[in-house]
Amino acid sequence: MKKIGKFILASAIASIAFSASAQAACWTPSAVEAAHVRDLQSRLMVAALRCAKSNHDVLPHYNRFVSGKKPLLMLGNGILRSHFAKGRTKNQAVKQYDRYAVSLANKYGAGSGDLSECETMKNFAMAAADSEHNLSSLVRVAQMHGLSPTLPGGRCGIVMASSGK
């Protein structure tokens, strides 16, 4: 009987630990916003590099976006770093964040190198640079241009409040 009790206790502890780690891996609404902003920045960075020699140079508009939105970009990166820190050591968190950021750049950098999209990307960069100074505006710009960040682990579940009646 003692063995069964120990097994049940160990199973319960493992279940709680698994549940906590699964919860840590999910994306909160603020982390999702930050992922959109990071995705936007990565997309525009790759376009700025790719289109530098085209008739529609994205770089000046990308630079204006980065310099004008620097506090928002830093805020978003801080939120992402906190997301990846959940349940991890500092070194693991840094590696996870870096892996995520590099995967975004690689996703866009793996394109064909076709310069036909440079005019669109130039307008995209101008829209991002001219957007209102808040994360939600940058998220809207990203969504309007079809960006949807990858969210390993998925979004966190929605908890509904109850009136208790």
Side-chain angles (χ1 to χ4, degrees):
M1 188 67 164
K2 286 184 178 182
K3 286 184 181 181
I4 292 174
K6 287 180 182 180
F7 175 75
I8 291 172
L9 179 62
S11 295
I13 291 170
S15 174
I16 291 168
F18 177 75
S19 175
S21 67
Q23 187 65 22
C26 72
W27 291 75
T28 64
S30 63
V32 172
E33 271 197 337
H36 275 285
V37 172
R38 183 64 214 196
D39 198 30
L40 170 65
Q41 182 181 2
S42 295
R43 179 65 182 109
L44 293 177
M45 176 191 63
V46 169
L49 295 171
R50 183 172 286 152
C51 297
K53 300 293 182 190
S54 78
N55 292 334
H56 302 285
D57 189 2
V58 176
L59 188 59
H61 307 288
Y62 172 75
N63 287 339
R64 189 167 59 87
F65 160 70
V66 170
S67 64
K69 304 296 190 232
K70 186 174 183 174
L72 293 176
L73 299 175
M74 291 174 62
L75 173 64
N77 279 324
I79 293 169
L80 284 177
R81 289 179 191 281
S82 293
H83 168 77
F84 287 113
K86 293 176 188 172
R88 295 183 175 98
T89 67
K90 185 177 180 177
N91 285 343
Q92 290 170 331
V94 169
K95 284 181 185 177
Q96 286 292 74
Y97 170 81
D98 288 345
R99 188 174 296 138
Y100 182 76
V102 167
S103 74
L104 291 175
N106 287 343
K107 175 173 85 171
Y108 296 117
S112 66
D114 181 12
L115 300 181
S116 66
E117 69 174 8
C118 291
E119 183 176 9
T120 301
M121 289 295 104
K122 179 180 173 182
N123 293 330
F124 186 10
M126 287 190 306
D130 293 338
S131 68
E132 293 179 34
H133 197 73
N134 58 60
L135 287 179
S136 297
S137 292
L138 292 177
V139 170
R140 280 192 298 279
V141 169
Q143 290 173 330
M144 286 177 17
H145 287 85
L147 299 185
S148 181
T150 302
L151 305 172
R155 294 174 187 251
C156 296
I158 297 173
V159 177
M160 301 294 282
S162 172
S163 64
K165 292 182 181 180

